[in-house]
Amino acid sequence: DAGVIQSPRHEVTEMGQEVTLRCKPISGHNSLFWYRQTMMRGLELLIYFNNNVPIDDSGMPEDRFSAKMPNASFSTLKIQPSEPRDSAVYFCASRSAPSPGGTQYFGPGTRLLVL
Amino acid sequence: KQEVTQIPAALSVPEGENLVLNCSFTDSAIYNLQWFRQDPGKGLTSLLLIQSSQREQTSGRLNASLDKSSGRSTLYIAASQPGDSATYLCAANSGGGADGLTFGKGTHLIIQP
């Protein structure tokens, strides 16, 4: 299995631009998580889906952030408009077990820099 | 709200030593606890997962223990090697309506050759 796939791996954009991050979970996994990692705050959960349905988006920092999972093999995290404070590494993770429990498998992350 | 703390923040030891990394969490009502390894500029690799009903898990030179009542977990690394150098993160899963992981800030480990 290829593991969790994220694209792009690196993104540099200017303040005010729209940014879309993509994730392909491990085939057969039915839970998907988006996390953000910064030096100041560490790793934080943004949102997670079970069977393509958003369950908890309380970690999404602002209305500028939105996430979708149109099918079991694809999810997007969109930031519009982007701001310099959004600069971070964004990780996607997936899990096979039903809620809760089971190992979460992480993708390599997308390193976002907003100038 | 669950909070996870890891001590020490950084650790440097000579190769061959046995070492213990500590993790504490404020809400003992966890479903499981997971230890990860993160190499510089890389993603997270799962090392061990301990269910709330378990006391410990072992994988090779790694042993993780869990004491829910005291809100603590430890990761024991035996016979450390330079390849063990990385940041080690622990994460608590509180389950229920909060199914994501709450992470500690990590312990940055350097094993000196």
Side-chain angles (χ1 to χ4, degrees), chain A residues 67-100:
Chain A
K68 295 182 179 179
M69 192 164 186
N71 57 62
S73 60
F74 184 67
S75 177
T76 60
L77 178 67
K78 183 179 293 186
I79 308 172
Q80 180 184 22
S82 59
E83 296 183 2
R85 58 191 167 131
D86 301 331
S87 298
V89 182
Y90 292 80
F91 288 103
C92 175
S94 69
R95 183 185 66 196
S96 64
S99 170

Short mmCIF file of all heavy atoms in Angstrom, two decimals, chain A residues 67-100:
data_model
loop_
_atom_site.label_atom_id
_atom_site.label_comp_id
_atom_site.label_asym_id
_atom_site.label_seq_id
_atom_site.Cartn_x
_atom_site.Cartn_y
_atom_site.Cartn_z
N ALA A 67 -13.15 22.16 4.76
CA ALA A 67 -12.70 20.84 4.35
C ALA A 67 -13.86 20.05 3.78
O ALA A 67 -15.00 20.20 4.23
CB ALA A 67 -12.08 20.08 5.53
N LYS A 68 -13.54 19.23 2.80
CA LYS A 68 -14.55 18.39 2.17
C LYS A 68 -14.00 16.99 1.96
O LYS A 68 -12.79 16.78 1.87
CB LYS A 68 -14.96 18.97 0.81
CG LYS A 68 -15.67 20.31 0.89
CD LYS A 68 -16.08 20.78 -0.50
CE LYS A 68 -16.81 22.12 -0.44
NZ LYS A 68 -17.20 22.60 -1.78
N MET A 69 -14.92 16.04 1.89
CA MET A 69 -14.54 14.67 1.56
C MET A 69 -15.63 14.13 0.63
O MET A 69 -16.60 13.51 1.10
CB MET A 69 -14.39 13.81 2.81
CG MET A 69 -13.73 12.49 2.52
SD MET A 69 -13.15 11.69 4.01
CE MET A 69 -12.29 10.29 3.28
N PRO A 70 -15.52 14.38 -0.66
CA PRO A 70 -16.58 14.01 -1.59
C PRO A 70 -16.72 12.50 -1.79
O PRO A 70 -17.81 12.05 -2.19
CB PRO A 70 -16.15 14.70 -2.88
CG PRO A 70 -14.67 14.90 -2.74
CD PRO A 70 -14.41 15.10 -1.29
N ASN A 71 -15.64 11.75 -1.51
CA ASN A 71 -15.74 10.29 -1.60
C ASN A 71 -14.70 9.67 -0.68
O ASN A 71 -13.89 10.40 -0.06
CB ASN A 71 -15.55 9.81 -3.06
CG ASN A 71 -14.24 10.28 -3.65
OD1 ASN A 71 -13.16 9.92 -3.17
ND2 ASN A 71 -14.31 11.10 -4.70
N ALA A 72 -14.69 8.38 -0.60
CA ALA A 72 -13.86 7.68 0.38
C ALA A 72 -12.37 7.77 0.08
O ALA A 72 -11.55 7.40 0.91
CB ALA A 72 -14.28 6.21 0.47
N SER A 73 -12.01 8.22 -1.11
CA SER A 73 -10.61 8.21 -1.48
C SER A 73 -10.02 9.60 -1.67
O SER A 73 -8.91 9.74 -2.20
CB SER A 73 -10.42 7.40 -2.76
OG SER A 73 -11.17 7.96 -3.82
N PHE A 74 -10.72 10.65 -1.24
CA PHE A 74 -10.21 11.99 -1.51
C PHE A 74 -10.79 13.01 -0.53
O PHE A 74 -11.99 13.00 -0.23
CB PHE A 74 -10.58 12.39 -2.95
CG PHE A 74 -10.04 13.72 -3.38
CD1 PHE A 74 -8.68 13.91 -3.53
CD2 PHE A 74 -10.89 14.79 -3.64
CE1 PHE A 74 -8.16 15.12 -3.94
CE2 PHE A 74 -10.39 16.02 -4.06
CZ PHE A 74 -9.03 16.17 -4.21
N SER A 75 -9.90 13.89 -0.06
CA SER A 75 -10.33 14.98 0.81
C SER A 75 -9.52 16.22 0.48
O SER A 75 -8.36 16.12 0.04
CB SER A 75 -10.15 14.61 2.28
OG SER A 75 -10.51 15.70 3.13
N THR A 76 -10.12 17.38 0.69
CA THR A 76 -9.42 18.65 0.49
C THR A 76 -9.57 19.52 1.72
O THR A 76 -10.58 19.47 2.43
CB THR A 76 -9.96 19.41 -0.72
OG1 THR A 76 -11.35 19.68 -0.52
CG2 THR A 76 -9.76 18.64 -2.01
N LEU A 77 -8.54 20.32 1.96
CA LEU A 77 -8.57 21.36 2.98
C LEU A 77 -8.26 22.66 2.25
O LEU A 77 -7.21 22.78 1.61
CB LEU A 77 -7.53 21.09 4.06
CG LEU A 77 -7.41 22.14 5.17
CD1 LEU A 77 -8.68 22.17 6.02
CD2 LEU A 77 -6.20 21.86 6.06
N LYS A 78 -9.17 23.60 2.34
CA LYS A 78 -9.03 24.85 1.60
C LYS A 78 -8.91 26.02 2.56
O LYS A 78 -9.61 26.08 3.59
CB LYS A 78 -10.22 25.05 0.67
CG LYS A 78 -10.14 26.29 -0.21
CD LYS A 78 -11.36 26.41 -1.11
CE LYS A 78 -11.38 25.32 -2.14
NZ LYS A 78 -12.49 25.50 -3.12
N ILE A 79 -8.03 26.93 2.23
CA ILE A 79 -7.87 28.17 3.00
C ILE A 79 -8.09 29.33 2.04
O ILE A 79 -7.40 29.45 1.03
CB ILE A 79 -6.46 28.29 3.63
CG1 ILE A 79 -6.11 27.03 4.42
CG2 ILE A 79 -6.40 29.51 4.54
CD1 ILE A 79 -4.66 27.00 4.91
N GLN A 80 -9.08 30.15 2.36
CA GLN A 80 -9.40 31.27 1.48
C GLN A 80 -10.01 32.41 2.29
O GLN A 80 -11.09 32.23 2.86
CB GLN A 80 -10.38 30.84 0.39
CG GLN A 80 -10.77 31.95 -0.57
CD GLN A 80 -11.80 31.52 -1.59
OE1 GLN A 80 -12.53 30.54 -1.38
NE2 GLN A 80 -11.88 32.24 -2.69
N PRO A 81 -9.37 33.57 2.32
CA PRO A 81 -8.04 33.87 1.80
C PRO A 81 -6.96 33.45 2.80
O PRO A 81 -7.18 33.42 4.01
CB PRO A 81 -8.08 35.40 1.68
CG PRO A 81 -8.98 35.83 2.80
CD PRO A 81 -10.02 34.74 2.93
N SER A 82 -5.80 33.14 2.30
CA SER A 82 -4.71 32.72 3.18
C SER A 82 -4.05 33.93 3.84
O SER A 82 -4.07 35.05 3.30
CB SER A 82 -3.68 31.92 2.39
OG SER A 82 -3.16 32.69 1.31
N GLU A 83 -3.47 33.68 5.03
CA GLU A 83 -2.77 34.71 5.79
C GLU A 83 -1.43 34.15 6.24
O GLU A 83 -1.28 32.92 6.37
CB GLU A 83 -3.60 35.15 7.00
CG GLU A 83 -4.91 35.81 6.63
CD GLU A 83 -5.68 36.31 7.84
OE1 GLU A 83 -5.15 36.18 8.97
OE2 GLU A 83 -6.79 36.83 7.66
N PRO A 84 -0.45 35.02 6.51
CA PRO A 84 0.88 34.53 6.95
C PRO A 84 0.81 33.61 8.16
O PRO A 84 1.60 32.67 8.26
CB PRO A 84 1.64 35.83 7.25
CG PRO A 84 1.04 36.83 6.31
CD PRO A 84 -0.43 36.48 6.24
N ARG A 85 -0.11 33.84 9.08
CA ARG A 85 -0.20 33.00 10.28
C ARG A 85 -0.71 31.59 9.97
O ARG A 85 -0.72 30.73 10.87
CB ARG A 85 -1.11 33.64 11.32
CG ARG A 85 -2.52 33.91 10.85
CD ARG A 85 -3.25 34.78 11.87
NE ARG A 85 -4.48 35.32 11.33
CZ ARG A 85 -5.64 35.25 11.97
NH1 ARG A 85 -5.72 34.68 13.15
NH2 ARG A 85 -6.73 35.78 11.45
N ASP A 86 -1.13 31.35 8.74
CA ASP A 86 -1.54 30.00 8.35
C ASP A 86 -0.34 29.14 7.97
O ASP A 86 -0.49 27.93 7.73
CB ASP A 86 -2.50 30.05 7.15
CG ASP A 86 -3.75 30.86 7.44
OD1 ASP A 86 -4.16 30.91 8.62
OD2 ASP A 86 -4.30 31.46 6.49
N SER A 87 0.83 29.74 7.91
CA SER A 87 2.04 28.99 7.57
C SER A 87 2.28 27.89 8.59
O SER A 87 2.32 28.16 9.80
CB SER A 87 3.25 29.93 7.51
OG SER A 87 3.08 30.91 6.51
N ALA A 88 2.37 26.67 8.12
CA ALA A 88 2.48 25.51 9.01
C ALA A 88 2.67 24.27 8.14
O ALA A 88 2.69 24.36 6.91
CB ALA A 88 1.21 25.35 9.85
N VAL A 89 2.80 23.13 8.80
CA VAL A 89 2.76 21.85 8.09
C VAL A 89 1.39 21.24 8.36
O VAL A 89 0.97 21.11 9.52
CB VAL A 89 3.86 20.89 8.55
CG1 VAL A 89 3.79 19.60 7.75
CG2 VAL A 89 5.24 21.53 8.40
N TYR A 90 0.72 20.87 7.30
CA TYR A 90 -0.62 20.30 7.40
C TYR A 90 -0.53 18.80 7.10
O TYR A 90 -0.05 18.39 6.04
CB TYR A 90 -1.57 20.99 6.44
CG TYR A 90 -1.86 22.41 6.83
CD1 TYR A 90 -0.96 23.44 6.54
CD2 TYR A 90 -3.00 22.74 7.55
CE1 TYR A 90 -1.19 24.75 6.94
CE2 TYR A 90 -3.26 24.05 7.95
CZ TYR A 90 -2.35 25.04 7.64
OH TYR A 90 -2.58 26.33 8.04
N PHE A 91 -1.00 18.01 8.06
CA PHE A 91 -0.96 16.56 7.91
C PHE A 91 -2.36 16.00 7.76
O PHE A 91 -3.31 16.46 8.39
CB PHE A 91 -0.33 15.90 9.15
CG PHE A 91 1.15 16.11 9.28
CD1 PHE A 91 1.66 17.03 10.17
CD2 PHE A 91 2.03 15.37 8.51
CE1 PHE A 91 3.03 17.23 10.30
CE2 PHE A 91 3.41 15.55 8.63
CZ PHE A 91 3.90 16.49 9.53
N CYS A 92 -2.45 14.99 6.95
CA CYS A 92 -3.66 14.20 6.82
C CYS A 92 -3.36 12.81 7.38
O CYS A 92 -2.23 12.30 7.22
CB CYS A 92 -4.05 14.11 5.35
SG CYS A 92 -5.44 13.05 4.97
N ALA A 93 -4.32 12.22 8.06
CA ALA A 93 -4.15 10.87 8.61
C ALA A 93 -5.42 10.07 8.36
O ALA A 93 -6.51 10.64 8.25
CB ALA A 93 -3.85 10.93 10.11
N SER A 94 -5.26 8.76 8.25
CA SER A 94 -6.45 7.92 8.10
C SER A 94 -6.38 6.73 9.03
O SER A 94 -5.31 6.38 9.55
CB SER A 94 -6.61 7.45 6.64
OG SER A 94 -5.61 6.53 6.25
N ARG A 95 -7.53 6.11 9.25
CA ARG A 95 -7.63 5.01 10.20
C ARG A 95 -8.68 4.04 9.70
O ARG A 95 -9.71 4.44 9.15
CB ARG A 95 -8.03 5.56 11.57
CG ARG A 95 -8.11 4.53 12.68
CD ARG A 95 -8.64 5.16 13.95
NE ARG A 95 -10.01 5.58 13.80
CZ ARG A 95 -10.63 6.42 14.63
NH1 ARG A 95 -9.97 6.93 15.64
NH2 ARG A 95 -11.88 6.74 14.44
N SER A 96 -8.44 2.75 9.95
CA SER A 96 -9.38 1.74 9.45
C SER A 96 -10.46 1.38 10.43
O SER A 96 -11.56 1.01 10.06
CB SER A 96 -8.62 0.47 9.05
OG SER A 96 -8.02 -0.10 10.19
N ALA A 97 -10.15 1.48 11.72
CA ALA A 97 -11.10 1.00 12.71
C ALA A 97 -12.27 1.98 12.83
O ALA A 97 -12.10 3.16 12.63
CB ALA A 97 -10.41 0.84 14.06
N PRO A 98 -13.42 1.49 13.22
CA PRO A 98 -14.52 2.41 13.48
C PRO A 98 -14.22 3.25 14.72
O PRO A 98 -13.36 2.91 15.51
CB PRO A 98 -15.71 1.48 13.72
CG PRO A 98 -15.10 0.20 14.14
CD PRO A 98 -13.80 0.09 13.42
N SER A 99 -14.94 4.35 14.85
CA SER A 99 -14.70 5.25 15.96
C SER A 99 -14.98 4.56 17.29
O SER A 99 -15.98 3.91 17.45
CB SER A 99 -15.58 6.48 15.81
OG SER A 99 -15.55 7.28 16.96
N PRO A 100 -14.20 4.85 18.30
CA PRO A 100 -12.83 5.34 18.24
C PRO A 100 -11.84 4.18 18.23
O PRO A 100 -12.23 3.04 18.13
CB PRO A 100 -12.71 6.11 19.55
CG PRO A 100 -13.56 5.32 20.49
CD PRO A 100 -14.67 4.73 19.67
#
